[in-house]
Structures are given as structure tokens and as C-alpha cells.
Amino acid sequence: MSKVVIIDYGAGNIQSVQFALERLGVQAKLTHNTEDILSADKVIFPGVGHATPALKSLQEKGLDKLIPILKQPVLGICLGMQLMCSFLEENNQNGLDIFSTTVKKFSEEEKVPHIGWNDIKFKDGELFRGIEENPYVYFVHSYYAELGVETIATTGYGQQFSAALQKNNFYGCQFHPEKSGVIGEQILKNFLTITQ
Amino acid sequence: MLTKRIIPCLDIKDGRTVKGIKFKNLIDAGDPVELASYYSAQGADELVFLDISATAEKRKTFASLVNEIAQKINIPFTVGGGITSVEEARRLLLAGADKVSINSAAVRNPALITELSKAFGSQCVVVAIDAKQIEGEWIVHLVGGKEPTSLRLFDWAKQVVKLGAGEILFTSMNNDGTKQGFANEALQKLSTRVNVPIIASGGAGSIQHFADTFLLGGADAALAASVFHFNEITLPNLKQKLQSQAIAIRL
């Protein structure tokens, strides 16, 4: 049985992710312990809320150094994904620099936050295996990751941006798979069965 | 394309859904968890649970109910009813709610909006506004529309957004319970005044009312209770009909 951990660093509603995994029959451990994280088969890095306190909490726990060197599949969700990017416009600060993308604030042309179900266009790959084209997934965020070489799914709100990113063993979803109905469950299931 | 959201609202009293909800397929329609799962399977985009329990003691049971709901359903949900502090909100968010909704507490203590938004992010903070049109002016009301305030809807809406609200749930007291349609004119005006998503509430009686609130009212989401609970409108039929009117809908 593979070991799944959810990184617990005080950033919001992480129980939802744990519950979503439970519905898939997976007991995931909430932890910020280095040994636990290093020895896991899969690591989920969630987060909602503000980037600045989240980054501070990662630094205090040494997770900002640990996460980028992980070798097993890692899935960042929402703020988790954004923190994995190189630069964040919120307070102009550096992220964990796993993805080379910049995270920007939505323009005032659109209603912010971007809340609700939006369709995504994805590149074929492990994360979206078995999912029909242009699925609807649930977003809630005020900042977005620009398009880049690591973009594996896009969506549009005002402009096109990254709905999902991937670089080697690192994956990120701007949307919330744990809140995206059966499609989201399939995406989580796909992540859990990625083999390397 | 971002789709318009359809949101069934469940009133919870002492851990049970109220209003004579009737569904053939449900063993226990008074069980919020079972009803939530049903609506989620039917295609609801989100759910709202309002705790209308009278006592603080009973409210405590709401947090454990929220936890149970979060375990079972795989779509987002908002909880509200009697939240007056960051601590109460935290308890519900940690129990698994995605957003909290505040109403009277925001009017009595506007700083709460900022505190919540700082603590959890504005995407978690829904400010519910009940307003009634009196001699042409939309006046904000408290206690489920019983108590008028000196606040005007559009000014108050602007203020709550400035303070950190991520979404506004606007209920028109003139329309609520009438089944004559949503207050689309006021909704349209709200949309042009503030830059956060607006949830329309109060007045749903037919499928066309939902279409109108999206097309004429510019609402981002529509909330209703009795038309769903009494099975007068089913979610799959509603969503199909809306899509056939070229409204962006998740099917």
C-alpha cells in the first residue's frame, strides 16, 4: 500500500483534500515532518488564502528547501501550485522556483476572485488520463499562473492562463480536484497511480 | 468559459434540514448529508447551508454536521448563520466548509469582514445582504428582513467589497417567497458597482427566472431553496434548459 502525505503547514482547508482521498479509499497523513514527507510515495501540497503567510510558514518549517528536492510525484493544489512557481506578484516575492512561471493578479476587468466551474483544455498525460476533453473543474482564486513551457492545461478568464503545470515529478493544479466532482476524483486517482 | 452556478440552499435547524422537503428517492430528506449528496449528484454547482438553530448549544452541533458533509460531498459548499467571530468561522472552515457567509454580524461589526479576509483570504468570505426596496430605495435589513438599517444596498455592497468580501449573496426581500423572479434590475446595478461575483437569491419560481437573472440581472450564480426542495424544478432539467438559451452551464 502506497503512502500518501498531505503537507500540513497551516494553510487553510486541507481537510477537504484528506476527505477526497478517503472517498477514494486512501488514508493520507497530514504532516510537515521531513522524514514523513521524504519517505512518502506521493506528496500533496495544498493551500488556500494568502501567499505571504503561507511562504513564511514553509520557511519556518524548512519546507521551502525540502519540497523542491523531492523525487516522488508531488501535486500542488491552488495556492500550493502557485507557491511552486518562480515569482509571485503578491508582495513581489520569490516562490519555490520549481515551475518557471510567474503568478499574477487578475486584472480589474474581470470579477475577482475567479470563482466557479470553468472548462480546461489539457495536453494528454498521466494527470488527465481517461478524462473527456474540456472537462469542467472548480476554481477559486484571485491570482493566476501565466502560460509557460510547463503548462499542461489551460483555461480562460479574461485571458488564458495555466490551469495545470508539470515539470518532471512535479504537478500543479490551479483548480481544486477535491471539489471538482467525479472529474476531480479521477484526476486525484490518476495522480495517485502515477508510476515513475 | 466560466459557467453560471446553480446553488440549492438548505436551512438547518438542530442538525436537520427544515421546510417540508419531499423526495421519493431519499430515505431521509431531513438528513442534510443525504440531501446534499442528492443535489450534488443531480448537478448542483455548490451548496449553501444556513444554520437557523436558535441556541449557541445547538450551533455547536453544526460544526460536526459540516464535518460530516465535507467527508461525503465532492463539490464546494458555504456555511452561514450566526457567525460573529473569526474563531467561529475558523471552526467551520477547519471542519471542511469552503466558505463562510456572514450577514447581520457584518453590519454590526464591519471589521469582521476584514478580519475574516485577512485570516482566510477573501475567496472564503461571502457577505449576505438582505435588502428591501422602500419608496424606490434599496434598504439593507437585518434578522431575516425584519429590522431595517440606515444602510443603502449599493453603498453597503461597495463597502463590504472594500473591506474584503470575495462574494456577495444578495436577497431581495421584495422577491423572496413570491416565486415571481429575481430582482434583476438591482442585481444588474450591483454587478456594475462592485467587482466580485454576485449570487442572486429570492424569487425563483420557474426555469425562466433563472435564465432571466443570468441574462438580465448579470448574476454569476443563482440560489434557491423551495423550488428544489419541493421538486418543482429539477437540477438536470433546469441546467439543460439554461444551456439551450446559450447560458454557460456545467452539464
Side-chain angles (χ1 to χ4, degrees):
Chain A
M1 175 106 186
S2 74
K3 179 180 166 192
V4 181
V5 299
I6 300 169
I7 300 182
D8 180 7
Y9 61 110
N13 191 352
I14 56 175
Q15 243 204 334
S16 293
V17 179
Q18 194 178 29
F19 287 155
L21 295 174
E22 268 174 29
R23 290 192 291 270
L24 297 174
V26 174
Q27 296 298 324
K29 186 172 182 183
L30 301 179
T31 181
H32 52 76
N33 176 282
T34 304
E35 291 309 310
D36 266 342
I37 295 170
L38 280 172
S39 64
D41 298 300
K42 301 283 184 318
V43 176
I44 297 182
F45 178 36
V48 293
H50 298 289
T52 307
L55 270 172
K56 195 169 161 255
S57 169
L58 289 178
Q59 285 155 3
E60 283 166 6
K61 297 178 170 67
L63 293 166
D64 60 323
K65 301 281 188 294
L66 177 66
I67 294 169
I69 60 162
L70 292 175
K71 298 282 177 265
Q72 64 276 59
V74 177
L75 176 65
I77 297 175
C78 196
L79 181 63
M81 179 200 91
Q82 295 188 354
L83 296 173
M84 290 159 81
C85 293
S86 66
F87 187 77
L88 299 109
E89 257 189 7
E90 184 182 332
N91 290 345
N92 291 315
Q93 53 201 332
N94 292 319
L96 303 186
D97 202 21
I98 293 165
F99 303 125
S100 59
T101 328
T102 294
V103 178
K104 295 188 157 183
K105 188 158 176 67
F106 279 116
S107 86
E108 293 291 312
E109 310 265 299
E110 304 298 326
K111 290 184 178 179
V112 182
H114 171 224
I115 297 183
W117 298 78
N118 206 330
D119 58 340
I120 61 170
K121 289 196 168 53
F122 59 82
K123 290 183 189 165
D124 285 338
E126 299 222 62
L127 205 56
F128 299 106
R129 211 178 334 118
I131 292 173
E132 281 185 35
E133 281 184 15
N134 307 330
Y136 285 102
V137 288
Y138 185 80
F139 290 86
V140 49
H141 59 125
S142 301
Y143 291 81
Y144 67 91
E146 287 187 305
L147 298 177
V149 286
E150 294 126 356
T151 302
I152 56 167
T154 64
T155 191
Y157 188 63
Q159 74 274 317
Q160 293 289 311
F161 61 90
S162 295
L165 294 163
Q166 188 204 343
K167 185 182 179 186
N168 306 324
N169 56 317
F170 293 99
Y171 296 79
C173 299
Q174 179 60 67
F175 54 88
H176 289 270
E178 76 279 15
K179 290 285 167 179
S180 295
V182 289
I183 302 276
E185 279 172 0
Q186 184 63 46
I187 291 169
L188 286 175
K189 219 184 277 178
N190 288 345
F191 173 73
L192 295 175
T193 52
I194 286 172
T195 49
Q196 287 192 313
Chain B
M1 194 179 192
L2 182 64
T3 55
K4 301 292 189 184
R5 287 169 282 153
I6 305 292
I7 309 177
C9 178
L10 287 75
D11 284 350
I12 310 290
K13 193 175 184 191
D14 308 343
R16 307 273 299 166
T17 47
V18 294
K19 293 184 179 172
I21 294 167
K22 48 177 187 185
F23 281 109
K24 273 185 247 160
N25 307 330
L26 293 189
I27 301 157
D28 179 7
D31 176 3
V33 180
E34 195 166 342
L35 194 57
S37 307
Y38 173 79
Y39 282 136
S40 165
Q42 289 275 300
D45 295 303
E46 265 181 60
L47 296 169
V48 169
F49 299 88
L50 286 181
D51 185 25
I52 57 167
S53 303
T55 63
E57 192 57 36
K58 298 282 186 189
R59 283 218 184 97
K60 279 186 194 144
T61 63
F62 189 53
S64 55
L65 174 64
V66 166
N67 200 248
E68 207 184 323
I69 293 164
Q71 286 176 40
K72 296 283 163 56
I73 69 166
N74 56 16
I75 60 168
F77 67 97
T78 303
V79 297
I83 299 166
T84 56
S85 69
V86 170
E87 278 324 300
E88 285 167 346
R90 190 189 310 276
R91 197 184 328 143
L92 295 167
L93 291 169
L94 287 179
D98 297 280
K99 308 183 230 181
V100 290
S101 164
I102 54 170
N103 190 335
S104 303
V107 173
R108 294 194 181 112
N109 174 23
L112 178 62
I113 303 170
T114 311
E115 288 167 20
L116 290 172
S117 142
K118 278 205 176 132
F120 313 115
S122 62
Q123 82 290 336
C124 275
V125 184
V126 182
V127 173
I129 306 178
D130 296 344
K132 192 188 263 179
Q133 198 176 25
I134 300 167
E135 292 170 0
E137 285 285 353
W138 283 96
I139 307 295
V140 177
H141 280 60
L142 299 183
V143 206
K146 287 191 201 100
E147 190 184 304
T149 69
S150 59
L151 296 167
R152 282 155 205 247
L153 168 64
F154 303 107
D155 298 337
W156 176 234
K158 268 191 192 170
Q159 201 188 334
V160 303
V161 172
K162 214 170 143 193
L163 291 170
E167 227 172 346
I168 289 177
L169 165 58
F170 165 53
T171 303
S172 160
M173 306 312 302
N174 302 69
N175 301 60
D176 201 27
T178 65
K179 297 200 171 183
Q180 297 295 307
F182 295 91
N184 294 323
E185 214 174 301
L187 282 160
Q188 178 58 49
K189 209 166 155 189
L190 259 187
S191 264
T192 61
R193 302 289 166 94
V194 295
N195 201 36
V196 299
I198 309 287
I199 306 166
S201 158
S206 71
I207 288 174
Q208 192 55 39
H209 293 154
F210 286 89
D212 289 345
T213 204
F214 295 136
L215 296 170
L216 308 174
D220 300 282
L223 175 142
S226 59
V227 288
F228 298 132
H229 301 329
F230 295 111
N231 227 356
E232 292 162 9
I233 296 176
T234 64
L235 286 160
N237 187 34
L238 169 64
K239 294 186 95 179
Q240 252 155 29
K241 294 274 164 57
L242 292 174
Q243 200 191 43
S244 71
Q245 294 196 42
I247 295 166
I249 282 290
R250 174 184 72 112
L251 287 182

